[in-house]
Amino acid sequence: MQPLAYISASSMLGIAAGPVASTHRRPAVPAPTSPGTNYASLILAQLRHHPAQPCLVWPAPDGSTSRHTGHDLLQRIAAHRQQLLTAGVQPGHPVLLAVPVSVELIAGLLAVQALGAVPVLPPAGASGWQLLHLTRRLSIGVVLTATAPRQLLRLVAGLLGVQLIAAEAGPLGAAIDGWEACPVPAQQPALVSHSSGSTGRPKAIRRSHAVLQAQHAAIKAAFPPWQGQRDFPLFPNVLLHNLAAGVVSVLPAVPWHDLRQLSPARLVAQLQDERVQTLTGNVAYFAALLAHLQRQPVALPDVVAVGVGGSPVPEPLAQQLRQAFGQAAVHVIYGSSEAEPIAVRQVTDDVPNPLAGYCVGTIQSGLEWRFELLGVLQGRATPGQPVGELWVRGAHVAATPGEWLRTGDYGYVADGQLYLTGRQGNEQLHHGVQHYQLEHLLYHLPGVERAAARADAAGFTVFVQGTVPPASVARLLAEQFPGVPVLAIHFRTMLPVDARHHSKILYSQLR
């Protein structure tokens, strides 16, 4: 489908958008790729060059911690590589990683990549039947499992033509030298993961070796790493970037199957004991961490940078992070698995107007962008502002070369900053206003934990989670969005959120 009109940089300055497509492009970040390449080669080179340096610090449920050097991880990669070779895995073969977040998952993933095969990560919380469907849909013949499968399961899988291989840490006798990552076409998938499913079923995201290298280069350009940097990444995919950059990943002690059960006290203890310097996470994660730090303040002088993303970031939370991590630069990071990062904003005393939506910063180098026109905003902060769905393309975007990635996010660019005002499936305008504008305003009310505004045919139905008085919600919306139809305001104990980030509202499930 082609858009009827586009909003470009010129139309953001008040020049009307015409029927001919126009784009904006920022200079590209070089990403070294070649016809025969393999993202794993970057990581293997780093591990071999610094074999004694810690690369992974992994907490166990029992409170202990395992520390892994480059040499340790190389041994595990080599062991899994030998397992996969014995199973007949060849370049281009998809391999499902049915392994929880662990050192063995990372080693298994890199072993699959090193063979030139394609690691496939299942959707968050996938059931056994969903995994079976995934193997059939993607023609997967080998599955790496967490533990040795039972005989019956192995028999059933065998009847379906699927081999099950246990990724348990066994003898580490395989040679770590004498082999290299298999060169593969730059456009071959290097990793297949799945979206959070916040606007429907989780979809498969295929990132090629060229895209992974370009994303690695884009992240390095936005946040220059240093050798031995101690990072605290909530997002497992950041581990691949860290390993390629020589950054030590200190994994947060969280229950990866359900982040809602995390212990903020243990996380704070990790930050102190491991002298963490940088950390990233999503809104729900940082909200829990901030609540603990407000009850039991501690100094965290080693932290120099904090990044928050994964969903729209309320400005009050971003400002609270600045207070809690007084020595750190705090950044809002906007992107997706297909394109990370898209935009970055450093949080300062210059607080954006919440009526304008969520300000996520400057669109990153190497991206072309355009907007598919939806309409015109008419709120107090955005009178006459064209708004549309953001499309991007570039080297670090997982899309067919030359084609646009439709982000599903609606917004506009003003004064060089990207603002988000709505999400696909809930994007309808009412009196020139989109739902993010209402929601972001409500997050500035004390006692609001979560807010959602569902765009119905006649107006907005607002849902609130928290202790704020109902009259305060109604009064603020009436004052700041006069004339905008608010059909009802409902208070709920919990609002439905996605299974991966526990931060993205599932609007279709609001009741």
Side-chain angles (χ1 to χ4, degrees), residues 215 218-219 222-223 333-336 339-344 364-365 367 396:
Q215 289 186 351
I219 295 171
F223 305 102
I333 305 171
Y334 164 62
S336 65
E340 49 188 353
I342 292 176
V344 175
Q364 294 297 283
S365 299
L367 286 178
H396 74 271

Side-chain angles (χ1 to χ4, degrees), residues 446-490:
V448 171
E449 297 173 20
R450 282 198 176 102
R454 189 180 64 209
D456 301 312
F460 294 105
T461 302
V462 174
F463 297 81
V464 177
Q465 173 185 323
T467 59
V468 61
S472 298
V473 174
R475 182 168 56 251
L476 183 64
L477 291 175
E479 288 174 353
Q480 298 301 324
F481 290 104
V484 173
V486 175
L487 307 178
I489 299 173
H490 302 295

